[in-house]
Amino acid sequence: MPLIPKVGRRKFRVKLVLLTIGAFLWIGVILRMIPLWWMFITSIKPAEEVYLIPPTLFPHRPTFAAYKIIFTLSGYISSTGAYIAHPSWMTYPMYVYLKNSLIITFGTMILQIPITALAAYAISKLESPRWSRILFLFFIGTMMIPGQIALIPTYLLIQHFPFPTRSIPYIPFTKIKWPAFNLFNTYFAVIIPAGFSAFYFLLFKGFFDTIPDSILNAARIDGASELSILRRIVMPISKPVFAAVSYFSFSAAWNSYMWPLMVLQREKLYPMSVQLARISRLLSGQTMEVRGREGLTEDLTKMIELGWSWNGLMAMSIVESIPVFVMFIIFREYLMTGIKLRGFK
Amino acid sequence: MKKIAGKESQKRKSRLAKIFMSPAILIQFFFGWLPIGMAFAVCLFHYHILKPEEYVGLANFQDLFADPLTFQVFKNTFIYTGMRLAIFLLPVVVSILLMEMNKSTIRIMMYLWFFPIASTASIVIWKWMYNTEYGLLNSILMSLGLPTLRWLNDPRLVIFCLILPGILMYGPGLIYLATLQSIPDELYEAAELEGAGFWSKVWHITLPRMRPVLAMMLLLSIIESMSVFSQPWILTHGGPNNASMMVVMRIVDLAIYSMRYGKGTALAIILFAILMVIIIIQRKYFKEDIDR
């Protein structure tokens, strides 16, 4: 509710204050729009125009060529008649990275939300008080501990699943190694560790705690099974919390960068975030990959000849941002109600 | 009779609860607690490339303290965290001011101020804006007749350059807006009747009501900036001259590119200890807020 009272709003001084506030907010909005405008404008520039000094604020010849290039990625025939393949920095067309991002994001959501919600429901409504206190600490204890400490052990764990060590240990008294799964360079390496989230567990539990036991008991007396109580009573009431968690879970997985960078080290598996960062490094001339400086300049020249440089990267950024924006629009109403839930206090 | 039935049904419910919880327990054990526990073992070993690992005691920590880069990364991280805290209240101020506008303006502005874009995308945009030759910022400076800056290539400017995107691109504004809207109007009306002005309403009603959310966001913001990774990693990769190398970047560097798992984990444990101190202090002073 506005803090400046309605009755006073006619006075000149108050009007001036309101006008200043409005101006401040609109200036902020404009400042915020500049990078986004610049992203959009760059993405619809043809390759020659990207490197103009001074840059054009409105493209002379707007074109969607950059979008087409990143989604098709074919080579070209040079003036000497030789076929020039695409540089090694982007071996696959955009939809491969898009697909990886989608698999990782929806895989995470499909695994994480039901597992976390079921655990929270069990703790909140089913388990006996003594056990639920112990298990509650077991579940949220990791939230109190900064996650970076587990970074390297998890990285080792991923490479031979149940053993967080450099190499697989031997079965005692034999020369046989324990069976172990190598999750490295698979989508599971990203999806499974995210399968349970202490933070969403708290959100869910906070909400389930507000559902009165008497409703559930009434259903039990009427002979409803626990599963149908969950499906017919708990799920419909809990829509806002599921919506809020879905949104958080989606954006966390979609934006995740560090962990995919560490455990997915094959270009075919890169999600969009990793690939975007990689291309940006190429375009600003920072290289740490095998080809070195000459290879880099050569690749850059090739890319510009093919018709994309920063315009292609900005097109990729827009493609990456669309799902985030769409999810924001879809969940906005739920978010505003969902955040007010007790768990998030 | 009824009591026995109650016990019986609690048993049945407990059994069902165990089934419901089992996947979560498995994942929480293997990917939650096991790596945390292992960290305290990993930091005591030296991992050779070909030979099996070797117990070295606290040598990894000695190694870290002998390394000037360790102090550099902590210094950088603390500067970065300090600057992030300096702008912590900005989205709060924006949200409070936003509430003064009329309904339709709030709706539009809420979209314009707080709609999100993918985080890597926003970092990459700024990398393009900061570009020294063709970037927007330098060409604006040039057209104003000012000397151009080297932005990310300038060791003194680089940490500030890492902060700037954060001011404009992200912000927990929606959470603040939701909290502000959940404050009952009657409180303000009552204060108005008693003649409270704008500032006293903010000071006595708005801020106390937002206190739990602010406390939690402050803690999250500190933890997040102490463990910042992707922004500096993508924008500068630690350069120039390690002026923007952060703690977690160093950990990842040690783990992936040098295979120094022991040393990396030792560094992570030092970071962990610092963060734990901050968390404990915060919980002590804001205890009643977070636990309620």
Side-chain angles (χ1 to χ4, degrees):
Chain A
M1 132 170 211
L3 299 190
I4 297 173
K6 279 228 162 55
V7 278
R9 292 205 166 212
R10 287 270 192 76
K11 277 190 207 148
F12 176 72
R13 219 175 53 115
V14 178
K15 254 187 187 168
L16 201 69
V17 168
L18 278 175
L19 219 65
T20 322
I21 293 176
F24 168 76
L25 290 175
W26 280 115
I27 288 172
V29 165
I30 291 168
L31 282 178
R32 186 163 196 258
M33 285 302 130
I34 288 175
L36 305 177
W37 169 253
W38 185 234
M39 158 172 84
F40 177 67
I41 286 303
T42 310
S43 81
I44 58 170
K45 279 180 184 175
E48 320 80 80
E49 213 178 316
V50 174
Y51 285 117
L52 276 188
I53 299 176
T56 46
L57 292 183
F58 297 90
H60 297 315
R61 287 190 295 116
T63 161
F64 284 99
Y67 291 87
K68 211 182 136 203
I69 289 169
I70 58 169
F71 273 105
T72 50
L73 274 202
S74 48
Y76 73 109
I77 310 285
S78 78
S79 50
T80 52
Y83 178 78
I84 310 279
H86 230 272
S88 58
W89 289 77
M90 190 145 159
T91 322
Y92 304 98
M94 193 64 193
Y95 57 79
V96 173
Y97 309 107
L98 193 60
K99 183 200 74 187
N100 292 337
S101 268
L102 288 171
I103 290 176
I104 288 171
T105 305
F106 287 103
T108 305
M109 286 171 78
I110 287 167
L111 195 72
Q112 182 181 53
I113 296 173
I115 286 181
T116 309
L118 278 179
Y121 180 70
I123 290 278
S124 172
K125 290 285 173 241
L126 298 177
E127 191 55 280
S128 60
R130 192 166 56 100
W131 271 103
S132 68
R133 210 169 308 132
I134 297 169
L135 285 168
F136 180 69
L137 289 180
F138 173 79
F139 281 135
I140 67 154
T142 49
M143 211 172 96
M144 302 292 147
I145 296 168
Q148 286 66 39
I149 188 177
L151 200 61
I152 292 173
T154 316
Y155 179 71
L156 295 173
L157 181 65
I158 285 296
Q159 298 180 25
H160 13 71
F161 169 54
F163 305 104
T165 47
R166 237 291 291 283
S167 46
I168 306 165
Y170 292 99
I171 299 172
F173 312 116
T174 60
K175 284 258 156 93
I176 313 162
K177 288 191 169 187
W178 289 97
F181 302 96
N182 185 358
L183 301 178
F184 196 71
N185 276 338
T186 63
Y187 297 123
F188 294 114
V190 183
I191 294 172
I192 294 179
F196 174 81
S197 154
F199 179 58
Y200 307 146
F201 173 85
L202 265 189
L203 277 182
F204 274 123
K205 184 173 178 294
F207 190 89
F208 292 145
D209 281 349
T210 63
I211 301 175
D213 279 336
S214 54
I215 299 181
L216 306 184
N217 283 335
R220 280 183 194 121
I221 288 168
D222 284 347
S225 70
E226 292 294 333
L227 281 178
S228 71
I229 290 174
L230 187 60
R231 212 180 61 227
R232 299 243 174 92
I233 299 174
V234 177
M235 292 281 282
I237 311 177
S238 317
K239 261 188 198 154
V241 72
F242 272 96
V245 170
S246 309
Y247 178 74
F248 292 148
S249 170
F250 171 85
S251 28
W254 189 264
N255 289 329
S256 65
Y257 174 72
M258 178 166 75
W259 191 243
L261 177 80
M262 284 177 76
V263 294
L264 301 178
Q265 297 193 357
R266 220 180 277 150
E267 195 184 343
K268 206 176 171 183
L269 300 170
Y270 284 168
M272 291 191 64
S273 53
V274 174
Q275 180 62 6
L276 244 78
R278 199 157 159 263
I279 297 287
S280 84
R281 190 167 303 149
L282 163 74
L283 289 174
S284 35
Q286 304 163 310
T287 174
M288 33 164 275
E289 302 200 11
V290 275
R291 293 203 53 189
R293 267 235 103 75
E294 291 87 57
L296 180 93
T297 341
E298 192 186 298
D299 275 355
L300 255 179
T301 331
K302 233 191 241 177
M303 271 169 83
I304 295 165
E305 272 173 36
L306 282 162
W308 71 292
S309 56
W310 285 99
N311 54 350
L313 185 61
M314 291 300 120
M316 286 163 81
S317 306
I318 288 179
V319 174
E320 200 202 4
S321 297
I322 288 171
V324 179
F325 188 55
V326 170
M327 291 300 258
F328 175 72
I329 304 271
I330 293 174
F331 285 118
R332 199 191 62 96
E333 289 302 321
Y334 278 120
L335 274 179
M336 295 296 282
T337 50
I339 288 170
K340 278 182 234 154
L341 306 174
R342 283 187 42 202
F344 200 73
K345 254 174 58 166
Chain B
M1 186 67 193
K2 209 180 165 195
K3 221 172 187 178
I4 295 172
K7 242 184 194 167
E8 195 66 4
S9 88
Q10 177 55 49
K11 240 186 197 166
R12 231 189 31 242
K13 278 198 297 186
S14 285
R15 204 159 45 219
L16 193 68
K18 300 274 172 354
I19 298 171
F20 279 1
M21 283 185 295
S22 50
I25 290 176
L26 280 178
I27 291 178
Q28 179 70 345
F29 174 73
F30 279 112
F31 293 100
W33 290 106
L34 183 66
I36 290 174
M38 266 317 276
F40 292 97
V42 171
C43 72
L44 301 176
F45 284 88
H46 184 84
Y47 290 80
H48 297 283
I49 308 277
L50 296 172
K51 287 185 289 178
E53 55 264 35
E54 169 194 7
Y55 177 78
V56 292
L58 295 176
N60 283 319
F61 288 93
Q62 279 173 356
D63 202 5
L64 277 175
F65 284 117
D67 186 354
L69 192 51
T70 309
F71 295 98
Q72 170 92 40
V73 293
F74 273 106
K75 199 185 103 197
N76 291 341
T77 311
F78 281 125
I79 295 175
Y80 178 81
T81 309
M83 293 179 79
R84 277 279 295 267
L85 290 184
I87 59 163
F88 172 76
L89 281 179
L90 190 74
V92 185
V93 173
V94 168
S95 316
I96 291 177
L97 292 182
L98 203 51
M99 299 299 279
E100 297 306 316
M101 303 285 106
N102 52 33
K103 279 254 155 59
S104 55
T105 322
I106 292 182
R107 260 191 109 71
I108 300 168
M109 281 221 179
M110 193 156 71
Y111 276 107
L112 295 180
W113 263 99
F114 298 126
F115 81 80
I117 71 167
S119 69
T120 329
S122 72
I123 298 171
V124 163
I125 296 168
W126 280 89
K127 195 162 184 178
W128 176 220
M129 306 244 305
Y130 283 135
N131 192 303
T132 40
E133 285 165 80
Y134 310 103
L136 184 65
L137 293 178
N138 261 355
S139 58
I140 291 175
L141 287 181
M142 234 185 319
S143 64
L144 293 176
L146 296 168
T148 57
L149 294 171
R150 294 179 60 226
W151 301 110
L152 296 172
N153 295 330
D154 186 335
R156 278 167 306 167
L157 208 58
V158 64
I159 290 201
F160 175 74
C161 291
L162 296 179
I163 299 290
L164 197 56
I167 299 178
L168 291 175
M169 304 311 267
Y170 335 97
L174 269 192
I175 293 168
Y176 296 138
L177 270 185
T179 323
L180 282 172
Q181 288 186 342
S182 74
I183 301 174
D185 289 358
E186 295 85 51
L187 288 178
Y188 293 121
E189 279 155 16
E192 238 164 71
L193 285 180
E194 292 184 9
F198 177 78
W199 293 113
S200 67
K201 271 189 268 182
V202 169
W203 188 250
H204 292 293
I205 299 172
T206 313
L207 288 182
R209 283 272 158 167
M210 288 183 84
R211 202 176 117 111
V213 172
L214 287 178
M216 175 160 164
M217 295 309 289
L218 187 67
L219 183 65
L220 285 182
S221 167
I222 292 175
I223 293 178
E224 201 190 304
S225 26
M226 287 292 289
S227 48
V228 62
F229 174 80
S230 40
Q231 226 174 317
W233 183 270
I234 297 171
L235 280 177
T236 64
H237 207 267
N241 230 341
N242 293 323
S244 61
M245 187 65 121
M246 304 289 171
V247 179
V248 176
M249 293 166 71
R250 179 86 181 118
I251 296 173
V252 171
D253 240 357
L254 285 170
I256 301 188
Y257 299 106
S258 331
M259 306 265 253
R260 300 288 304 272
Y261 301 124
K263 195 176 168 188
T265 311
L267 185 57
I269 284 178
I270 297 174
L271 176 68
F272 161 81
I274 293 174
L275 283 177
M276 275 322 258
V277 171
I278 295 173
I279 290 175
I280 289 168
I281 291 173
Q282 207 269 0
R283 281 184 71 81
K284 207 174 158 198
Y285 285 99
F286 289 90
K287 195 167 184 0
E288 74 279 27
D289 292 336
I290 287 195
D291 286 351
R292 209 171 353 134

